[in-house]
Amino acid sequence: AQPPYVPSRRSSPGPRILQSSQVYTGGREKEPAILGTMSVVGVDFGAKHSVIAAAGRGGVDVILNGNSQRLNPNMVGFDQSRSMGEAASSTALSNYKNTITNIKRLVGLSYDDPRAQAEMKRCPFKCVPYAHPSGPAGIAVSVRLQDDQRTIPIECVAGMMVKHMGQVAALKAAADSPGATTAECFPRDWVVAIPGYYTDA
C-alpha cells in the first residue's frame, strides 16, 4: 500500500485575487484580461465549490464571479430551465430533488461500486444506472426538466459545471475588455484539477 499523501509545509505566496480580473505585465501598465491572450485557465474542481484562475504573463490571478466571490458553487438545478452555480444554489432548498451537487466522488465510478453505493445513499437526488458503451453500468441522475423526466450521466453533469466555470471567466474578462464579446473571451486552454482516484471516465 502506498503511504498517505502529506502536503508540503513550505509556504508559497499563492495567486493574487483581483476584482478587475486584469493581468499585470511586470512594471508596465496593466492590460485588459482577454482570455484569448492568456496562456491557460485553471479550475480547481471541488466537491461543493470550484475556484477559477487565469495564468498570464503577469502571474496567476483568481477570477471572481459576478458576486465578487472566489468560490463558485458546483450546482446544477433543473426545473422549467437549467440553472447553474449561484442561481442553482438560491433555489436548492425548494428544489433539492432536482438540484445536483457534491458529485465529485461519483464521477468515473460504476453504479455497482461499493464506494458509489455508499455515496449515493447521502444524495438527496435520485441516482440510477445507465448503460455504458465500454464497460459496466455507470451512474446517472434522474431529474425533472420542463415537466419531463430526464436521465443524465453524472459525467455530463460534471461537464456542465466545468463549462459554467468557463462562462464565469469569460463574462468577467468581457466586462473588463471594452469591445470584446463573451464568445471571444471564452477560454480555449484549460487545466482542471481533479482527485487522483478518478478513473479514465
Side-chain angles (χ1 to χ4, degrees):
Q2 294 183 346
Y5 170 73
V6 179
S8 173
R9 295 183 179 272
R10 292 183 299 174
S11 60
S12 60
R16 298 192 305 272
I17 302 174
L18 301 181
Q19 280 280 352
S20 60
S21 182
Q22 291 180 316
V23 177
Y24 288 81
T25 56
R28 292 171 290 173
E29 62 182 8
K30 54 190 177 181
E31 300 175 348
I34 300 178
L35 294 182
T37 66
M38 293 186 177
S39 58
V40 69
V41 169
V43 177
D44 183 4
F45 186 71
K48 295 183 178 181
H49 297 87
S50 286
V51 176
I52 316 164
R57 287 172 293 177
V60 178
D61 300 325
V62 172
I63 298 175
L64 305 185
N65 60 28
N67 291 332
S68 298
Q69 300 294 321
R70 64 181 298 182
L71 293 178
N72 299 275
N74 280 344
M75 287 190 176
V76 184
F78 298 92
D79 196 0
Q80 292 304 309
S81 61
R82 189 182 73 181
S83 57
M84 305 293 301
E86 293 192 354
S89 178
S90 65
T91 60
L93 290 178
S94 59
N95 190 36
Y96 65 94
K97 289 186 177 181
N98 291 298
T99 300
I100 313 304
T101 186
N102 208 11
I103 62 169
K104 180 178 177 179
R105 297 179 184 91
L106 294 175
V107 173
L109 297 180
S110 66
Y111 186 81
D112 295 327
D113 191 299
R115 295 171 295 175
Q117 289 294 320
E119 189 67 27
M120 287 187 289
K121 291 178 182 179
R122 295 190 283 267
C123 296
F125 46 85
K126 184 178 181 181
C127 294
V128 296
Y130 82 98
H132 199 284
S134 60
I139 304 170
V141 294
S142 179
V143 295
R144 194 163 187 82
L145 177 63
Q146 296 180 348
D147 300 324
D148 292 328
Q149 202 69 24
R150 309 283 182 93
T151 299
I152 306 174
I154 207 78
E155 290 82 12
C156 291
V157 179
M160 295 175 190
M161 294 176 178
V162 173
K163 184 178 180 180
H164 174 66
M165 299 304 125
Q167 292 170 339
V168 170
L171 284 170
K172 187 62 179 172
D176 293 335
S177 305
T181 66
T182 303
E184 292 172 339
C185 294
F186 196 86
R188 289 171 292 180
D189 298 316
W190 295 68
V191 171
V192 181
I194 59 173
Y197 58 78
Y198 268 24
T199 69
D200 292 337

